[in-house]
């Protein structure tokens, strides 16, 4: 087999040495670079099949290397190596065209498997006359990445398999310990016994991680040999391919063509295998991304609880600010990403109050100037706390500027008008309304109508007039509601 050339890019010399040795032992020709800029120079002068690349490096990081390579028309597969906190960047890289990513630390065997998979798909695309393989695998990857949820991607995968292989019957089996029922298409063309028998075969295929092709003659021979098969097996050809990514067993895809004419071939099986391995990488990535999002949400919720524990009167304040801000975000047509940012910023906007003494936070009477100065530090303290969480980078400015005012009299930077980030202006309106309608240590909550009057009075000076007006519409329509006070 022709030797493939791999380019390793990382600023950790020790990691480069280990990977170079392991991939060299697998028969690959391996080159190395210490950052994106060095790698770009190698890519311009050598024919590289696969780049295994760190995301964060001095001078030029992995994402910029990928973008620049694409811009220069360099044709190489990209696999990214990334730390735990940078998974959303890795997902962005997949959207830019990388084929895979691995979380550090990783097993060296796993790296070899991922590289082989990337090279296999590359060979499939390069096969002369294999226009079908090229367009279908590429099209599948793009279609899957356009869906954000696991179930949406699985649905898209099944729809693409159906469109490509035109099966009479199709089933997707999950591992038996997963507890999910198989997803079927026209399965009533087969008797139940046959389907459950295929379920057992699919389980075996998943265990071994190897695809199988059964043609009508092979099935008939197996039936004659009395291999524990249902008696009334109609003539059919059938392919089973596993969706396995590393040690993750996602499921097995079974496609069946009834009759003896036009049976599936080994070429079909190879294409289905690539389909499945490609889909498995994307589905596994989505599942991991979701796990990390859940983990992040756990951290965020704990931080919110920590603030609320300091001031029982603010219980539920952050959640309601987040809810109002998201409603405003929808009304302003913000993207899904922006709505998520505004939700998280709404939850965390007052996180800096952790650093404000209780005696100031819970003081029932007015604050002295010194105390007010300390209170005004909470956006900066909040930004410092959140800056330790890499995935929340985009939320930092929203938290930092949530007390700016349109006329420039706010804090901490006395920004004016449109210089205040739009999402911070949204948080500010949501925060202002929620603070007025809920009880505080020093007063009872206002009626919604009175809170809206105050917002309108401050529109243009304290708050963004357009946002206040839209918020008023949401209140009138009942799309946002003040809390029920005790
Ligand atoms: Fe605040």
């Amino acid at each position: 087999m022709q030797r493939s050339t791999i380019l390793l890019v990382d600023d950790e010399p020790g990691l480069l040495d280990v990977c170079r040795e392991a991939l060299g032992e697998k028969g690959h020709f391996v080159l190395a670079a210490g950052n994106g800029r060095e790698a770009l120079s190698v890519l311009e002068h050598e024919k590289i099949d696969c780049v295994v690349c760190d995301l964060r490096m001095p001078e030029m990081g992995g994402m910029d290397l990928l973008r620049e390579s694409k811009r220069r028309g360099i044709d190489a597969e990209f696999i990214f190596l990334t730390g735990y906190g940078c998974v959303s960047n890795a997902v962005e890289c997949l959207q830019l065209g990388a084929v895979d990513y691995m979380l550090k630390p990783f097993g060296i065997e796993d790296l070899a498997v991922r590289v082989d998979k990337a090279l296999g798909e590359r060979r499939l695309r390069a096969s002369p006359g294999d226009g079908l393989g090229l367009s279908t695998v590429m099209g599948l990857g793009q279609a899957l990445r356009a869906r954000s949820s696991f179930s949406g991607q699985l649905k898209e995968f099944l729809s693409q398999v159906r469109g490509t292989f035109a099966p009479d019957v199709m089933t997707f089996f999950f591992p038996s310990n997963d507890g999910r029922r198989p997803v079927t298409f026209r399965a009533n063309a087969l008797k139940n016994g046959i389907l459950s028998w295929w379920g057992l075969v699919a389980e075996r295929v998943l265990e071994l991680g190897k695809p199988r092709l059964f043609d009508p003659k092979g099935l008939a021979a197996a039936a004659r040999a009395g291999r524990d098969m249902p008696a009334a097996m109609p003539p059919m050809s059938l392919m089973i391919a596993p969706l396995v990514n590393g040690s993750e067993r996602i499921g097995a895809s079974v496609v069946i063509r009834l009759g003896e004419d036009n049976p599936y071939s080994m070429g079909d099986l190879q294409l289905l295998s690539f389909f499945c391995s490609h889909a498995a990488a994307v589905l596994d990535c989505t599942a991991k991304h979701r796990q990390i999002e859940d983990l992040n949400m756990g951290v965020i919720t704990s931080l919110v609880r920590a603030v609320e524990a300091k001031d029982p009167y603010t219980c539920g304040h952050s959640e309601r600010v987040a809810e109002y801000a998201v409603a405003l975000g929808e009304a302003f047509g913000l993207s899904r990403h922006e709505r998520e940012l505004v939700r998280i910023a709404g939850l965390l906007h007052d996180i800096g109050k952790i650093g404000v003494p209780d005696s100031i936070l819970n003081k029932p009477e007015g604050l002295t100037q010194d105390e007010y100065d300390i209170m005004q530090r909470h956006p900066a303290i909040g930004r410092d706390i959140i800056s330790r969480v890499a995935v929340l980078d985009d939320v930092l400015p929203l938290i930092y500027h949530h007390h700016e005012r349109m006329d420039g009299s706010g804090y901490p930077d006395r920004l004016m008008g449109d210089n205040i980030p739009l999402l911070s202006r949204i948080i500010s309106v949501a925060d202002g309304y929620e603070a007025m309608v809920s009880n505080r240590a020093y007063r009872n909550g206002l009626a919604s109508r009175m809170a809206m009057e105050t917002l309108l009075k401050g529109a243009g000076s304290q708050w963004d007039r357009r946002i206040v007006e839209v918020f008023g519409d949401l209140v009138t329509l009942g799309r946002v509601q003040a809390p029920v006070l005790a």
Side-chain angles (χ1 to χ4, degrees), residues 266-472:
M266 284 308 287
D268 291 325
L269 184 69
Q270 189 190 27
L271 185 56
L272 180 66
S273 299
F274 280 122
F275 240 70
C276 289
S277 64
H278 208 74
V282 178
L283 284 163
D284 188 38
C285 166
T286 302
K288 286 207 171 73
H289 194 214
R290 175 49 53 93
Q291 282 169 6
I292 289 166
E293 276 182 349
D294 289 348
L295 191 71
N296 289 337
M297 262 332 285
V299 172
I300 289 167
T301 307
S302 307
L303 289 170
V304 171
R305 296 281 170 272
V307 180
E308 294 187 347
K310 280 176 74 86
D311 178 5
Y313 280 95
T314 61
C315 183
H317 167 71
S318 308
E319 276 92 350
R320 285 189 294 273
V321 170
E323 181 191 321
Y324 300 159
V326 169
L328 274 167
E330 281 166 4
F332 275 89
L334 297 186
S335 68
R336 189 165 62 187
H337 175 64
E338 288 170 321
R339 293 199 307 270
E340 185 59 10
L341 285 182
V342 92
R343 187 175 73 84
I344 295 173
L347 287 171
L348 294 176
H349 69 284
D350 274 344
I351 193 70
K353 286 186 177 171
I354 287 175
V356 176
D358 291 358
S359 56
I360 297 177
L361 268 186
N362 297 320
K363 192 174 177 185
E365 64 271 22
L367 301 180
T368 66
Q369 187 56 48
D370 284 350
E371 290 167 337
Y372 190 57
D373 289 346
I374 293 171
M375 188 66 150
Q376 287 193 351
R377 287 183 207 151
H378 80 269
I381 298 171
R383 185 180 64 172
D384 286 349
I385 293 171
I386 298 304
S387 67
R388 316 293 159 98
V389 187
V391 290
L392 295 177
D393 275 359
D394 293 345
V395 178
L396 298 182
L398 312 188
I399 291 174
Y400 185 67
H401 292 298
H402 79 273
H403 279 292
E404 304 286 359
R405 291 173 172 234
M406 294 299 281
D407 60 7
S409 66
Y411 62 91
D413 285 357
R414 301 176 75 85
L415 295 184
M416 282 184 79
D418 290 351
N419 289 328
I420 306 167
L422 170 66
L423 304 192
S424 291
R425 280 178 268 150
I426 285 179
I427 300 280
S428 177
V429 170
D431 187 25
Y433 176 82
E434 211 293 325
M436 284 188 270
V437 295
S438 56
N439 291 333
R440 282 291 183 271
Y442 44 88
R443 58 150 175 81
N444 289 328
L446 298 178
S448 176
R449 184 179 50 78
M450 291 175 71
M452 270 318 303
E453 275 175 19
T454 308
L455 280 181
L456 284 164
K457 260 187 224 152
S461 54
Q462 180 166 355
W463 294 289
D464 183 317
R465 179 174 298 284
R466 178 90 189 99
I467 297 174
V468 170
E469 287 169 356
V470 170
F471 192 76

Side-chain angles (χ1 to χ4, degrees), residues 18-93:
V18 173
C19 295
R20 189 206 301 256
E21 195 180 327
L23 293 174
E25 279 174 8
K26 297 281 177 192
H28 301 300
F29 183 58
V30 185
L31 299 172
N35 61 48
R37 200 160 300 288
E38 281 178 26
L40 201 56
S41 163
V42 176
L43 282 161
E44 294 233 287
H45 296 98
E46 303 283 343
K47 190 177 172 327
I48 303 294
D49 296 296
C50 181
V51 181
V52 178
C53 180
D54 193 15
L55 255 184
R56 286 193 173 182
M57 290 176 293
E59 293 200 42
M60 182 188 273
M63 196 155 358
D64 287 339
L65 173 62
L66 173 60
R67 277 202 197 95
E68 196 52 31
S69 302
K70 294 274 170 203
R71 198 180 67 76
R72 298 185 189 192
I74 292 167
D75 174 31
E77 312 303 318
F78 274 74
I79 297 174
F80 280 100
L81 309 175
T82 180
Y84 202 62
C86 305
V87 172
S88 47
N89 290 343
V91 172
E92 198 180 332
C93 288

